[in-house]
Amino acid sequence: MDQVLIEGLSLETVIGVYDWERKVRQRLELDLELRTDIRPAARADDLSRTLDYAAICQRLSDYADANAHGLVETFAERVAALLLDEFGIRHLRLTVRKPGAVAAARAVGVRIERSVD
């Protein structure tokens, strides 16, 4: 299966378990691997026959703006469910990084894979 890639998507959202984190927006970085068959789009040179990565990025930005989460894990699960439900993706791998969360690390985060059953 082919993959549509979105790498280094930067989003601002309220994320964290500490009181001070609930009052500020923090940056998350996302990498996505979205499995789909790109052949129909390539044959027809037609965006409507593939995953529109601009639309996906905008939807994720809107979601991050409108929602707050305590855990990066919760954010990742909800984003994965949104993508599977709204964009007809059958399988995805999602990495969510929270830069600067731990002083000694460039970033911390989670990587998940989810499929439609």
Side-chain angles (χ1 to χ4, degrees):
M1 186 63 60
D2 306 314
Q3 294 183 12
V4 170
L5 303 175
I6 299 171
E7 297 179 339
L9 178 62
S10 183
L11 303 174
E12 296 277 328
T13 193
V14 175
I15 186 118
V17 295
Y18 300 111
D19 288 340
W20 71 266
E21 290 181 298
R22 308 301 292 163
K23 298 174 185 167
V24 298
R25 298 178 71 71
Q26 297 183 72
R27 184 168 55 98
L28 296 178
E29 295 177 355
L30 281 63
D31 292 332
L32 298 104
E33 298 173 17
L34 311 170
R35 291 194 187 160
T36 190
D37 185 354
I38 68 166
R39 290 174 293 186
R43 272 193 296 277
D45 200 24
D46 184 355
L47 177 61
S48 70
R49 296 180 180 213
T50 191
L51 298 174
D52 182 342
Y53 49 81
I56 290 168
C57 290
Q58 185 60 57
R59 179 64 178 102
L60 295 179
S61 178
D62 293 345
Y63 178 82
D65 283 343
N67 294 277
H69 300 88
L71 300 176
V72 171
E73 291 84 347
T74 305
F75 180 87
E77 285 292 339
R78 302 241 171 101
V79 163
L82 178 153
L83 291 169
L84 294 171
D85 181 55
E86 294 184 20
F87 290 92
I89 296 164
R90 306 298 297 166
H91 181 88
L92 64 82
R93 175 182 288 174
L94 168 64
T95 303
V96 179
R97 292 180 187 86
K98 187 175 177 184
V102 173
R106 183 175 340 130
V108 297
V110 298
R111 178 174 295 131
I112 64 173
E113 290 191 44
R114 298 294 179 266
S115 300
V116 174
D117 295 327

